Amino acid sequence: MQAVKEALHVATTPSCGLVCRDDEQRRVFEFCKACVQQERAGSLYVCGCPGTGKTLSISKVKQSVSRWADEMGMETPDDLSINCTNLGNTSDIFGKILEKFQVRKKASGKLSPLQQLQRMFSHKESAPRRMLLVVVDEMDYLITRDRAVLHDLFMLTTLQFSRCILIGIANAIDLADRFLPKLESLNCKPLVITFRAYSKDQISNIINHRLKGS
């Protein structure tokens, strides 16, 4: 009984892998694959209620992208995962991205991390060679706390020589309606993939898979 309780606990990562999200994972993978193949930046917004497999699905897709790129003999993109609730200041997110590109902040004088990224992606000579897959989890925090940072973040993917593949993850589906129109007006509207609530048949399938591992 203890093993069953642990297997069914919401905090337990299923040993048999994530089930019932194949279509959503395929769409995210195809998006990332196209960006890597064409060496172009892009943005994706993943939304859905808590517990619908968003974060776990994106984690699985990251592994699939790396494996696919390696098999194709292509340069594997770097990856960076950021949880917005762990940021001291919302603008710290740009410093984390800058550090991943291994750029020394002191070299650019008084420019902020955002300004350094904007300048880097605006010139071919300064643009990094390798793509960077940035996964921003708990994006609800930015949507409700600092919309300007959110807009600047998505706009990084529109710069001519940007190397960012941005995937934002948020819990509330209706939040998309509150910030997507503004992003569209800025010409940086992301592709949206919604994780719907599980049906009763899917929940039954998930329980069966989890119990098999116990």
Side-chain angles (χ1 to χ4, degrees):
M1 286 301 297
Q2 184 61 33
V4 169
K5 287 171 62 178
E6 291 177 359
L8 296 180
H9 197 282
V10 292
T12 301
T13 301
S15 58
C16 55
L18 188 67
V19 296
C20 302
R21 289 303 182 197
D22 292 341
D23 182 58
E24 291 86 350
Q25 290 178 31
R26 178 190 56 77
R27 293 175 63 193
V28 176
F29 174 75
E30 291 298 328
F31 162 79
C32 295
K33 178 181 173 182
C35 289
V36 174
Q37 283 180 321
Q38 300 170 29
E39 295 186 343
R40 63 170 174 80
S43 60
L44 174 69
Y45 177 69
V46 174
C47 59
C49 296
T52 50
K54 301 184 300 298
T55 301
L56 199 56
S57 289
I58 300 305
S59 178
K60 186 175 179 180
V61 169
K62 282 199 304 181
Q63 297 173 8
S64 298
V65 170
S66 295
R67 187 167 54 251
W68 164 79
D70 188 56
E71 291 173 352
M72 296 296 293
M74 304 178 69
E75 192 168 45
T76 304
D78 289 326
D79 66 82
L80 172 65
S81 295
I82 302 172
N83 189 308
C84 293
T85 59
N86 295 331
L87 297 172
N89 295 303
T90 52
S91 59
D92 290 347
I93 193 169
F94 301 116
K96 291 183 178 296
I97 296 173
L98 192 63
E99 289 173 2
K100 193 66 180 181
F101 281 118
Q102 299 179 339
V103 177
R104 294 184 179 180
K105 298 179 183 179
K106 294 182 180 179
S108 299
K110 297 181 180 180
L111 294 179
S112 68
L114 171 60
Q115 292 171 327
Q116 291 183 59
L117 287 170
Q118 290 171 333
R119 187 171 73 171
M120 184 195 312
F121 296 149
S122 297
H123 302 88
K124 187 175 182 179
E125 298 77 17
S126 58
R129 179 171 51 86
R130 189 185 293 267
M131 301 294 291
L132 175 63
L133 176 56
V134 183
V135 178
V136 181
D137 207 349
E138 303 292 348
M139 191 172 268
D140 312 66
Y141 187 79
L142 290 183
I143 297 172
T144 56
R145 294 291 184 91
D146 201 333
R147 203 75 62 88
V149 168
L150 180 77
H151 297 156
D152 288 333
L153 180 63
F154 276 95
M155 286 186 70
L156 285 177
T157 65
T158 66
L159 298 175
Q160 186 176 1
F161 300 104
S162 177
R163 310 302 282 170
C164 282
I165 304 171
L166 176 65
I167 299 180
I169 305 174
N171 289 326
I173 296 175
D174 65 331
L175 288 178
D177 299 328
R178 291 161 51 185
F179 82 93
L180 284 180
K182 176 63 176 180
L183 291 181
E184 187 171 16
S185 70
L186 295 171
N187 197 32
C188 57
K189 183 180 179 181
L191 173 67
V192 179
I193 296 179
T194 302
F195 279 57
R196 300 294 179 185
Y198 290 115
S199 66
K200 59 181 176 58
D201 290 335
Q202 287 177 319
I203 292 175
S204 176
N205 194 8
I206 291 170
I207 292 174
N208 286 330
H209 273 78
R210 287 201 171 211
L211 291 179
K212 285 179 180 179
S214 65

